[in-house]
């Protein structure tokens, strides 16, 4: 089934997800901070399934919206914009880039819970934070392939999690359900599951090994 997916942030991860999702037959509406006119070349390369929009247009394009802006930029996106949407949160916290965030440094919360808190009423699913963007294209394999890479998802809303898991499978990866957003620290930066290629069994092991 073709879905229209908004993508807010069209850099490394947003731009690569736009390629993967259009290749899988989905429509995408991509947005960045500079406005749709700056995305002409990007959408031309993506083909007929892609268009450029404002942040609000990407937010309202469909039920699923990828938020692929750096954590420091989150506050600049209106917090009521994604109410009721399934939000795919790709964020990581890099203090050198994002500035120090005391709650994260104190391990009191997770990046995805901060995203969920910011976007009131959104159904946030943490996904794609632990794969280098280019590998979304180069590591994709059809379902059932030997050694297929697994990606973790964390969500508080089971329906949102399942919808995102189905998309991840479609674009070439197995899925490990890690649990609720509060547990998503297990796949944050520098944890054992972060970055390398793991199969389902291996990734489950790495998530279990994680220490806060
Ligand atoms: N790079 C990776 O391989 C990778 C992999 C997994 C997860 N992540 C995480 O995903 C997040 C994004 O990383 P990235 O590497 O894709 O960043 P990036 O290449 O710097 O791209 C950031 C994008 O966000 C846009 N943006 C910034 N502020 C915005 C705003 N207020 N409204 C709309 N768009 C805005 C930028 O638009 P302009 O260019 O117009 O400013 C740009 O398109 C980070 O948390 C990162 O850690 C990255």
């Amino acid at each position: 089934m073709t879905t229209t997916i908004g993508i807010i942030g069209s850099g490394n991860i947003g731009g690569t997800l736009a390629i993967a999702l259009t290749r899988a037959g989905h429509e995408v509406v991509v947005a960045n901070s500079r406005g749709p006119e700056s995305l002409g070349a990007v959408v031309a390369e993506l083909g007929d399934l892609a268009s450029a929009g404002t942040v609000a247009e990407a937010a309202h394009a469909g039920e699923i919206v990828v938020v692929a802006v750096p954590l420091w930029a989150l506050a600049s996106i209106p917090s009521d914009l994604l109410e009721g949407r399934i939000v795919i949160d790709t964020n990581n916290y890099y203090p050198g880039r994002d500035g120090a965030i005391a709650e994260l440094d104190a391990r009191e919360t997770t990046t995805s819970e901060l995203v969920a808190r910011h976007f009131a009423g959104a159904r946030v699913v943490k996904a794609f934070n632990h794969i280098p963007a280019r590998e979304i294209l180069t590591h994709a394999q059809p379902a059932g392939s030997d050694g297929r890479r697994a990606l973790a998802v964390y969500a508080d809303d089971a329906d949102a999690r399942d919808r995102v898991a189905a998309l991840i499978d479609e674009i070439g990866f197995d899925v490990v359900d890690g649990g609720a957003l509060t547990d998503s620290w297990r796949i944050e930066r520098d944890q054992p599951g972060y970055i390398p290629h793991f199969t389902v069994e291996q990734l489950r092991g790495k998530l279990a090994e994680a220490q806060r």
Side-chain angles (χ1 to χ4, degrees), residues 130 148-152 173-176 197-201 203:
H130 63 100
R148 193 186 199 210
R149 185 169 180 168
L151 299 179
F173 300 89
D174 287 341
V175 179
V176 171
H197 178 306
F198 295 119
T199 62
V200 165
E201 287 313 313
L203 183 55

Side-chain angles (χ1 to χ4, degrees), residues 10 31-43 52-53:
S10 52
N32 65 6
S33 74
R34 287 163 292 152
E37 54 291 339
S38 69
L39 287 163
V42 172
V43 292

Side-chain angles (χ1 to χ4, degrees), residues 16-183:
T16 307
L17 282 172
I19 296 171
L21 291 165
T22 51
R23 282 184 184 171
H26 298 291
E27 292 181 348
V28 298
V29 178
V30 293
N32 65 6
S33 74
R34 287 163 292 152
E37 54 291 339
S38 69
L39 287 163
V42 172
V43 292
E45 202 159 314
L46 286 168
D48 291 345
L49 291 174
S51 59
T54 61
V55 169
E57 285 165 347
H60 296 133
E63 203 187 349
I64 302 179
V65 182
V66 178
V67 174
V69 305
L71 202 49
W72 62 260
L74 192 66
S76 62
I77 302 175
S79 64
D80 58 355
L81 203 60
L82 296 174
E83 197 173 343
R85 296 289 186 282
I86 294 172
V87 170
I88 300 178
D89 165 34
T90 72
N91 256 281
N92 290 302
Y93 170 46
Y94 282 91
R97 178 193 66 191
D98 299 316
I101 300 174
E103 280 177 282
L104 293 176
D105 291 336
R107 313 280 194 263
E108 288 167 2
T109 189
T110 59
T111 57
S112 287
E113 287 175 293
L114 289 184
V115 171
R117 193 202 297 170
H118 179 71
F119 292 120
R123 302 152 75 196
V124 173
V125 182
K126 184 178 193 68
F128 298 112
N129 76 301
H130 63 100
I131 179 170
R134 66 187 175 283
E135 293 178 4
I136 292 172
L137 304 178
T138 59
H139 286 191
Q141 288 181 288
S145 302
D146 268 357
R148 193 186 199 210
R149 185 169 180 168
L151 299 179
V153 292
Y154 285 83
D156 294 343
D157 181 306
D159 173 61
R161 178 201 62 212
D162 292 348
R163 298 277 301 279
V164 174
L167 275 183
I168 293 173
D169 180 49
E170 266 183 62
I171 68 173
F173 300 89
D174 287 341
V175 179
V176 171
D177 173 13
L181 293 180
T182 189
D183 296 321

